[in-house]
Amino acid sequence: MRVLGVDPGLTRCGVGVVDGSVGRPLTMVHVGVVRTPAELDVARRLVQLEQGLDAAIAEHRPDVVAVERVFSQNNVSTVMGTAQASAIAMVCAARRGIPVHLHTPSEVKAAVTGSGRADKAQVTAMVTRLLRLDTAPKPADAADALALAICHVWRGGAGDRLAAAVAKSRATGGAVRVVR
Amino acid sequence: MRVLGVDPGLTRCGVGVVDGSVGRPLTMVHVGVVRTPAELDVARRLVQLEQGLDAAIAEHRPDVVAVERVFSQNNVSTVMGTAQASAIAMVCAARRGIPVHLHTPSEVKAAVTGSGRADKAQVTAMVTRLLRLDTAPKPADAADALALAICHVWRGGAGDRLAAAVAKSRATGGAVRVVR
């Protein structure tokens, strides 16, 4: 399964693509950041973000796009830009028929480090180790995007298989059996 | 000047198109609501919203798109959907090279009713009167979208003319003169 993770943001939007499945080594396919200039108005920044994300999706053709779920309790000064950037990420994927899954920051941290309260340094260290990289991905937004993709390979993948098994069971009348 | 106003929302997104200029009667060109089903996931709702807004912009070819400015102090349960819907509206316009202007709810109320604290009924009543409509536009999202468009004809229009006059003055070395 190939997952493209998006850490949404207007100034820096992290993009990370990971190939993997549960129980097998993960492979980093791509990591990068889409930046938009703060001096442009929001509408034109969103268009630039759309172009950058759409190019990444077109190039890497992910099976799933995983986006960080934005909460309104977050930093008030940036939450609007984050919500707007996440909308662009979702629409770029869904327009191409690619499933979109949202994961909360604590789900991502828990999946990658074992603790939902891990700090950025722990997340970056685990991402670097899990993907067997020589150097830590920078900036933090890029590492977070890879963490989102890894989280989805492990968590979302199981959910997708469960849903597929339930659907198959209903179709055939058999019992549900999920192979992990 | 033709302005397409957008009252952003995921469940109901108001769209209103008004032709007008300062000091002349206003004309309603279009009013409507783009609805997306709550049972779809957010990504697919945003794609449907994009299709609806893009069709309205393509049909009515506005000179400006005016979008309500979303604040994070608003209702927490709906603010994320509103912010995401506003991002789609902005990107649909900016992608076509159409200028996007944001107006706060109190700017819109003040422009249309004279009071930044007017209630929905007052706004709807004034929109109905200013556009010389036989019946009030419904639902409230549709009336709000028309109010946004009217607000931009009156407020944004002056700002646009001022900017144009300043630019022209700089180019010619003459004095700035704004005709209202």
Side-chain angles (χ1 to χ4, degrees):
Chain A
M1 173 167 57
R2 174 167 293 187
V3 180
L4 186 147
V6 178
D7 183 34
L10 259 187
T11 303
R12 288 182 307 275
C13 184
V15 178
V17 183
V18 172
D19 277 349
S21 56
V22 178
R24 299 220 178 159
L26 301 157
T27 310
M28 185 178 82
V29 177
H30 169 79
V31 65
V33 172
V34 179
R35 296 170 196 269
T36 72
E39 59 270 22
L40 275 191
D41 62 56
V42 176
R44 275 181 275 192
R45 295 180 79 178
L46 291 173
V47 171
Q48 291 197 358
L49 179 61
E50 180 183 42
Q51 290 167 345
L53 290 176
D54 206 55
I57 293 172
E59 182 180 349
H60 300 293
R61 304 190 166 278
D63 302 305
V64 172
V65 170
V67 182
E68 186 176 298
R69 188 184 291 277
V70 184
F71 290 104
S72 50
Q73 294 92 324
N74 293 4
N75 185 340
V76 169
S77 67
T78 60
V79 72
M80 287 296 117
T82 311
Q84 291 167 335
S86 77
I88 300 305
M90 286 191 261
V91 97
C92 283
R95 212 158 46 191
R96 291 174 179 267
I98 300 170
V100 175
H101 289 266
L102 304 177
H103 298 283
T104 67
S106 50
E107 282 170 356
V108 174
K109 290 173 185 173
V112 173
T113 71
S115 163
R117 297 181 176 191
D119 62 20
K120 282 199 175 290
Q122 283 176 279
V123 171
T124 299
M126 282 305 298
V127 165
T128 309
R129 187 179 305 174
L130 290 166
L131 296 173
R132 290 156 292 132
L133 306 176
D134 294 331
T135 55
K138 282 183 189 173
D141 316 79
D144 285 347
L146 290 169
L148 262 157
I150 294 170
C151 171
H152 188 79
V153 169
W154 289 347
R155 285 182 60 112
D160 290 349
R161 282 197 307 284
L162 181 60
V166 168
K168 191 178 172 189
S169 164
R170 281 195 185 135
T172 61
V176 174
R177 184 164 158 264
V178 180
V179 181
R180 288 197 178 238
Chain B
M1 174 165 57
R2 174 168 292 186
V3 181
L4 187 146
V6 178
D7 183 33
L10 260 186
T11 303
R12 288 183 307 277
C13 184
V15 179
V17 184
V18 171
D19 277 348
S21 55
V22 178
R24 299 221 178 157
L26 301 158
T27 310
M28 184 178 81
V29 176
H30 169 78
V31 65
V33 171
V34 179
R35 295 171 196 270
T36 73
E39 60 270 22
L40 276 191
D41 61 55
V42 175
R44 274 181 275 193
R45 295 179 80 180
L46 291 173
V47 171
Q48 290 197 0
L49 179 61
E50 181 184 41
Q51 289 167 346
L53 290 176
D54 206 54
I57 292 171
E59 184 179 347
H60 300 293
R61 304 190 166 277
D63 301 304
V64 172
V65 170
V67 182
E68 187 177 298
R69 189 185 290 276
V70 184
F71 289 105
S72 50
Q73 293 92 325
N74 293 3
N75 185 341
V76 169
S77 68
T78 60
V79 72
M80 286 297 118
T82 310
Q84 291 167 335
S86 76
I88 301 304
M90 285 191 262
V91 98
C92 283
R95 213 158 44 193
R96 290 173 179 267
I98 300 171
V100 175
H101 289 265
L102 305 177
H103 297 283
T104 67
S106 51
E107 282 170 355
V108 175
K109 289 172 185 175
V112 173
T113 72
S115 162
R117 298 181 175 190
D119 62 19
K120 281 199 176 290
Q122 282 175 277
V123 171
T124 299
M126 281 306 295
V127 165
T128 309
R129 187 179 304 174
L130 290 166
L131 296 173
R132 289 156 291 129
L133 306 176
D134 294 331
T135 55
K138 285 183 187 173
D141 315 79
D144 284 347
L146 290 169
L148 262 157
I150 295 170
C151 171
H152 187 78
V153 169
W154 288 347
R155 285 182 60 113
D160 289 351
R161 281 196 310 284
L162 181 59
V166 169
K168 191 178 172 190
S169 164
R170 282 194 184 135
T172 61
V176 174
R177 185 163 157 263
V178 179
V179 182
R180 288 196 177 241

